[in-house]
Amino acid sequence: MKITFSALSIPKKGSAVVLAGKDNKLGIIAQGLDESSDGALTRAMKAAKFKAEQGNFLEILAPAHLKLDRIIIAGISSDEELSLHDWERFGGGLHGRLAACKSEAVTLVLESAGDDDKVSSQAIARAIHGAVLRSYRFDRYKGEIKGGDKKKKDKKQGDKNSKLPDSMAVQCEKTADVRKAYSALDGLGSGVFVARDLVNEPANILYPLEFAARAKKLTKLGVKVEVLSEKQMEKLGMHALLGVGMGSVRDSALVVMQWNGGPKTQKPIAFVGKGVTFDTGGISIKPGAGMGDMKGDMGGAGCVTGLMHALAARKAKANVIGVIALAENMPDAAAQRPGDVVTSMSGQTIEILNTDAEGRLVLADALWYTQKRFKPQFMINLATLTGAILVALGQEHAGLFSNNDELSQRITDAGLTTGEKVWRMPLGAEYDKMIDCDIANMKNIGGRYAGSITAAQFLQRFVNDVPWAHLDIAGTAMNSPKSEINRSWASGYGVRLLNQLVADHYEK
Ligand code: BES
Ligand code: ZN
Ligand code: ZN
């Protein structure tokens, strides 16, 4: 979506959006429109018993004496101070409203509404960011029938998938400040889109090496990208990761991304993502119902790639490593079997009792490799790791597991700021025992209970003393409930969360 910024003036054509604050008070431009239209705005608000609260909109069509198609009055009042995320949701809701009425030339008049002096430059930038996030659609496979009637297709698919408005002219008081505040969010928005695209992409298109090729595109933004082949991984002894891809005709890969935006002497921070481009379960095959969702089993890797994009695009002043472990989990004659024992890069051996518990296997080697090679300040991994986290937390929170209270608190706070919430879950020796094994150092599944925790305990066995956090995003990355800022199956969860974490604590 194209966004332009300019000073306040009376909008002349298309659709105009104005704000209404406490007690339906309007700003100066909105009052001007009201006066020129014989009080259309105040009369409409009265007639509709409109109450200016966040999320309330009122549409006035063809207002008298004006050339405008419509004026939308958007409520912003709230008893409490609106948070930046509230502003994002406001912008998202507004975009939804504009799309519903198929508005094309849209002018947003974002002036302080009456006594409501809460419309800061940051707030405006966040509102635009929210609208942009909402505008996302994944429609690249809605093709035309060869030789078919193009008009017919547009009519059938046009409404539901409308990307309108595709541009917004934003009017505000401090244009330079807003432009500056928005420029960082622009990169963040594209990072979220990168993650959503990757997760939405079907698995016949996005197999491990194709994913790696997409990650390579970050080179253009100044990110250093290396792709480790199966051969290289074999040399490193990554048999936990390699075992997962054995049943697939597609090669596995490990991608290492580096963004060096901080001082040379600064230790990097590291993000590691599970990138199982499709998870059939392998020989421990999953039931058919819902298996299609497993194209999203690379949500962790999608987030890490989107985050690296965002950080590079906004030139974050931090040294950041992104590592993604890519494999496809398929059943085949060459696939690993339940009962197999593999040796991980760390030297620890694993008895594979269920080939569907594969995420922890690819992460085991990726975490070990990251900690050994980069000695980071911290490691955070993201993974659509367990169905059990959905049972525990639903789709509201990602599960957070960590060996470090400070890191945990920082992630939790970033979650509250961005609305990408996390909920801390326990770790402990008693849970760890549940993956002890008679014939190897550990088995890859625990018992019937505490499935998300035993999965986290497994990961922790591949982390030494480095501060570490694991986010189980099986409930938040895909199959997402529609929200004000996302209508797509993939949410891009984690990009905004971790971008906030970096911005709040790790940029100097
Ligand atoms: N990719 C799945 C977890 C998952 C489930 C992600 C639902 C998104 C939505 C993971 O690889 C898996 O299959 N986990 C098993 C582990 C079990 C075999 C110990 C699970 O959760 O059932
Ligand atoms: Zn699985
Ligand atoms: Zn999986």
Side-chain angles (χ1 to χ4, degrees):
M1 192 164 49
K2 197 167 164 261
I3 311 286
T4 53
F5 297 97
S6 60
L8 293 169
S9 70
I10 302 259
K12 295 277 187 314
K13 62 173 176 30
S15 300
V17 177
V18 298
L19 304 179
K22 199 160 186 260
D23 301 325
N24 292 358
K25 288 224 180 84
L26 301 171
I28 294 180
I29 299 288
Q31 284 173 28
L33 289 170
D34 194 38
E35 278 158 29
S36 328
S37 60
D38 289 343
L41 283 75
T42 38
R43 281 167 49 211
M45 287 197 284
K46 209 167 156 205
K49 299 196 172 51
F50 179 77
K51 194 158 181 256
E53 278 170 2
Q54 204 209 358
N56 285 356
F57 299 103
L58 180 65
E59 184 181 355
I60 305 160
L61 287 172
H65 314 304
L66 296 173
K67 293 225 165 70
L68 291 168
D69 296 335
R70 64 172 59 73
I71 296 173
I72 292 179
I73 303 177
I76 52 163
S77 184
S78 154
D79 289 339
E80 287 160 41
E81 186 90 17
L82 294 179
S83 70
L84 291 180
H85 183 51
D86 287 334
W87 279 102
E88 289 169 352
R89 294 208 329 238
F90 164 81
L94 179 60
H95 188 280
R97 185 69 196 221
L98 289 164
C101 57
K102 301 187 189 73
S103 302
E104 277 177 74
V106 175
T107 308
L108 304 185
V109 182
L110 301 182
E111 58 179 338
S112 297
D115 303 332
D116 245 325
D117 204 14
K118 294 171 188 158
V119 192
S120 66
S121 301
Q122 275 296 338
I124 294 175
R126 289 284 167 171
I128 307 304
H129 180 53
V132 170
L133 290 174
R134 169 72 171 247
S135 74
Y136 175 87
R137 296 286 179 282
F138 186 75
D139 53 9
R140 66 179 62 160
Y141 299 111
K142 285 187 170 287
E144 283 164 41
I145 302 164
K146 274 186 190 145
D149 182 346
K150 185 161 188 301
K151 266 197 200 131
K152 230 184 200 167
K153 174 220 151 196
D154 285 346
K155 198 154 189 276
K156 225 168 95 193
Q157 303 186 336
D159 295 355
K160 241 177 138 187
N161 299 297
S162 163
K163 284 187 191 171
L164 292 175
D166 55 10
S167 66
M168 283 184 174
V170 180
Q171 293 189 3
C172 48
E173 276 143 51
K174 297 178 184 146
T175 351
D177 287 2
V178 174
R179 220 179 254 136
K180 190 165 168 239
Y182 183 68
S183 72
L185 297 176
D186 190 27
L188 176 57
S190 354
V192 174
F193 284 13
V194 165
R196 287 182 186 170
D197 275 351
L198 288 166
V199 175
N200 279 321
E201 199 71 87
N204 60 327
I205 308 281
L206 194 79
Y207 47 90
L209 287 182
E210 170 61 18
F211 196 136
R214 303 227 182 155
K216 267 259 176 209
K217 290 190 181 161
L218 296 189
T219 318
K220 276 196 208 135
L221 296 174
V223 179
K224 204 173 127 196
V225 185
E226 293 163 75
V227 181
L228 271 64
S229 66
E230 288 198 341
K231 218 169 157 194
Q232 287 167 299
M233 290 192 283
E234 251 160 53
K235 267 202 191 134
L236 290 163
M238 295 186 166
H239 296 289
L241 191 160
L242 287 166
V244 172
M246 275 189 353
S248 170
V249 293
R250 304 291 193 182
D251 271 9
S252 304
L254 187 91
V255 177
V256 181
M257 297 168 265
Q258 297 185 54
W259 168 252
N260 294 316
K264 272 216 167 69
T265 50
Q266 191 187 71
K267 269 174 105 185
I269 55 179
F271 300 94
V272 179
K274 166 179 174 182
V276 174
T277 57
F278 195 79
D279 181 13
T280 62
I283 296 298
S284 317
I285 198 161
K286 287 180 180 294
M291 203 205 273
D293 282 355
M294 287 303 118
K295 71 171 186 175
D297 209 19
M298 29 55 67
C303 170
V304 170
T305 312
L307 175 68
M308 295 305 287
H309 179 109
L311 295 174
R314 70 172 183 78
K315 301 204 169 14
K317 293 188 179 57
N319 297 330
V320 190
I321 308 294
V323 174
I324 54 178
L326 301 167
E328 187 184 46
N329 189 21
M330 299 288 275
D332 176 74
Q336 68 182 354
R337 293 148 289 251
D340 284 3
V341 174
V342 295
T343 305
S344 65
M345 181 185 175
S346 73
Q348 300 177 93
T349 53
I350 305 159
E351 186 185 17
I352 314 285
L353 286 179
N354 189 320
T355 62
D356 195 13
E358 84 300 339
R360 62 200 77 182
L361 298 171
V362 300
L363 284 173
D365 282 336
L367 284 166
W368 188 262
Y369 174 83
T370 305
Q371 131 192 290
K372 283 280 156 202
R373 176 169 169 196
F374 296 107
K375 302 186 177 47
Q377 288 183 62
F378 70 67
M379 277 198 299
I380 296 177
N381 74 259
L382 299 104
T384 48
L385 203 65
T386 64
I389 203 68
L390 270 148
V391 178
L393 300 176
Q395 299 193 285
E396 289 307 310
H397 292 85
L400 164 68
F401 301 82
S402 180
N403 62 4
N404 186 288
D405 292 342
E406 186 185 50
L407 181 60
S408 255
Q409 193 55 50
R410 288 177 172 181
I411 298 172
T412 305
D413 292 344
L416 294 174
T417 308
T418 55
E420 294 193 328
K421 290 175 289 181
V422 302
W423 195 263
R424 191 167 181 187
M425 304 279 287
L427 288 165
E430 295 308 318
Y431 294 114
D432 189 66
K433 256 196 223 148
M434 292 163 76
I435 54 169
D436 281 346
C437 174
D438 287 342
I439 70 157
N441 293 126
M442 68 197 86
K443 52 189 180 186
N444 79 329
I445 49 169
R448 209 162 105 72
Y449 302 129
S452 302
I453 307 177
T454 49
Q457 292 294 163
F458 184 97
L459 298 181
Q460 198 179 7
R461 289 193 182 203
F462 298 87
V463 174
N464 294 333
D465 293 333
V466 56
W468 157 80
H470 151 54
L471 293 170
D472 193 335
I473 58 170
T476 50
M478 60 167 106
N479 225 337
S480 316
K482 295 207 176 349
S483 78
E484 294 292 43
I485 56 166
N486 179 44
R487 313 308 268 184
S488 136
W489 186 79
S491 61
Y493 179 94
V495 176
R496 292 166 53 254
L497 170 76
L498 298 174
N499 173 71
Q500 190 71 42
L501 175 78
V502 175
D504 286 348
H505 301 286
Y506 301 96
E507 285 188 67
K508 275 279 127 26

